[in-house]
Amino acid sequence: MKIIFSLLLIGILATSCGIYSFTGASIPTEAETVSVTYFTSTATNLPATLNQTITEGLRDLLLSQTSLDLIESNGDLDFNGTITKYQLNPMAIQANETAGKNRLTIAVEVEYNNRIDKNQNFKTIFNRYRDFDSSENLTDVEGILIEEISNELLEDIFNKAFVNW
């Protein structure tokens, strides 16, 4: 009897605030579709593939972590964004006035529209960076840095939209 009661209680709690997944995502039960508009850029000097990396990464994350259907536009849940910063700065200046490390920073401004619950809508800038030794050439480490930064940005966007942090 205790087992049945426990399973019933878990079922009620898991569905009381929308669809709950074991990723911690809470998605409105009425939502069936999601759309991600191709991310544009106002930043300069970024790799030509960064827009696609962010856009496709968000689409893949949504498909793998939710049961929503991905559509071209006007989804029940809709994401669009702009890459606003792609910047390389010297860090950790040493005694001889040279940088010991460099920092690559990427920022994206994301607008999320929840057509089911307008109170969940947001427009937020997400920033992430990675430091690397100044002895390393950016072109040698750029791909790895972009992948790491992009994964963190995408996780931040997903969490803001669905985990309510």
Side-chain angles (χ1 to χ4, degrees):
M1 184 68 175
K2 287 183 181 180
I3 294 173
I4 294 173
F5 179 72
S6 297
L7 291 174
L8 182 61
L9 182 61
I10 290 170
I12 290 170
L13 290 174
T15 60
S16 64
C17 296
I19 297 173
Y20 179 82
S21 73
F22 289 105
T23 62
S26 180
I27 301 166
T29 54
E30 301 87 0
E32 296 177 358
T33 60
V34 63
S35 54
V36 179
T37 305
Y38 189 78
F39 276 54
T40 59
S41 176
T42 59
T44 57
N45 299 326
L46 67 149
T49 59
L50 185 58
N51 300 52
Q52 183 175 353
T53 299
I54 299 288
T55 304
E56 293 302 321
L58 184 55
R59 288 174 179 166
D60 291 345
L61 182 63
L62 292 167
L63 286 173
S64 68
Q65 299 295 319
T66 72
S67 60
L68 299 169
D69 293 326
L70 182 66
I71 61 172
E72 281 294 316
S73 61
N74 299 319
D76 296 328
L77 310 175
D78 181 58
F79 292 87
N80 63 71
T82 303
I83 300 168
T84 58
K85 182 189 288 185
Y86 185 87
Q87 189 172 45
L88 183 65
N89 290 326
M91 304 299 294
I93 303 300
Q94 299 173 339
N96 59 1
E97 296 186 23
T98 60
K101 291 200 175 278
N102 289 318
R103 175 173 289 174
L104 177 62
T105 304
I106 301 175
V108 293
E109 182 177 47
V110 177
E111 185 174 358
Y112 169 69
N113 292 302
N114 181 328
R115 288 175 172 74
I116 309 297
D117 181 1
K118 304 263 187 231
N119 292 326
Q120 299 297 315
N121 293 355
F122 65 80
K123 186 174 187 176
T124 304
I125 295 176
F126 298 91
N127 285 285
R128 286 294 182 153
Y129 64 87
R130 277 286 185 275
D131 293 339
F132 62 99
D133 286 331
S134 60
S135 62
E136 296 177 293
N137 189 341
L138 177 62
T139 56
D140 295 338
V141 296
E142 190 173 33
I144 295 166
L145 297 173
I146 288 173
E147 182 180 345
E148 292 173 355
I149 294 169
S150 296
N151 288 339
E152 289 181 358
L153 287 168
L154 295 171
E155 186 176 313
D156 290 347
I157 295 165
F158 184 88
N159 287 341
K160 174 82 172 161
F162 301 123
V163 183
N164 301 320
W165 52 266

